[in-house]
Amino acid sequence: GQQVKQSSPSLTVQEGGILILNCDYENDMFDYFAWYKKYPDNSPTLLISVRSNVDKREDGRFTVFLNKSGKHFSLHITASQPEDTAVYLCAAGEGTGYQNFYFGKGTSLTVIP
Amino acid sequence: EAGVTQSPRYAVLQEGQAVSFWCDPISGHDTLYWYQQPRDQGPQLLVYFRDEAVIDNSQLPSDRFSAVRPKGTNSTLKIQSAKQGDTATYLCASSSTGGLTLYFGAGTRLSVL
């Protein structure tokens, strides 16, 4: 089965709005959680990540929240901008030892000016 | 610092033909991943290496796919007898020891007719 699941294939938000992207995972051993951003015809690049020893990590307009008991993590984007328009991929895996990472199917975000 | 290099960028095959993809990771990165990304889906892990050793190839269709990294640097992914269902972008990524960020190459877009 799919190790990492994103619930929303697409989202649209007005410029300046707040949005939340969600991701669920299966494996209790996962201790590393990340969001990658992908523009059309480009490869994914890391946006923000968090280890399992913290519940939250903030980087400018982007914040990752981790709920280990619920096997869920989310990406919050504030003050959204047209350049945030992209596909967002969540990833999870074992950050120590194996270092294997699994990706969700992606959420296509459109920010309307 | 050069990024992850992949070739070719595009490949078009008839069913039953063979194809090889080549990946040169970032210098010094000991972990190398091959992902398959069908259209409108997230990257799906096929195989990954630490140095020359295969760590996990459980998702690699072993009857037609093979991957090697003989010197722990460059890697080749080969499809012996391509099927239409293999149509996807094949992404190579690398990471350093203890580093959790995956650096992706531009990918090889494969179409099997």
Side-chain angles (χ1 to χ4, degrees), chain A residues 19-38:
Chain A
L19 62 104
I20 301 172
L21 306 178
N22 294 298
C23 192
D24 297 296
Y25 62 95
E26 297 283 327
N27 192 330
D28 287 334
M29 297 299 293
F30 288 170
D31 61 359
Y32 173 77
F33 308 92
W35 288 91
Y36 281 73
K37 184 175 181 179
K38 182 184 180 306

Side-chain angles (χ1 to χ4, degrees), chain A residues 32 36 38 41-46 49 51 89 94-106, chain B residues 33 35 37 40-43 45 48 50 55-56 91 95-96 98-102 104-107 109:
Chain A
Y32 173 77
Y36 281 73
K38 182 184 180 306
D41 297 324
N42 281 342
S43 298
T45 57
L46 180 68
S49 64
R51 298 297 298 263
L89 298 160
E94 296 180 54
T96 54
Y98 285 115
Q99 280 187 265
N100 54 340
F101 303 113
Y102 298 90
F103 285 81
K105 291 186 175 182
Chain B
Y33 305 82
Y35 285 88
Q37 185 172 17
D40 297 329
Q41 293 192 34
L45 183 65
Y48 78 103
R50 183 156 297 134
I55 303 301
D56 184 356
L91 293 167
S95 67
S96 58
L100 301 177
T101 301
L102 298 187
F104 284 90
R109 189 176 295 180

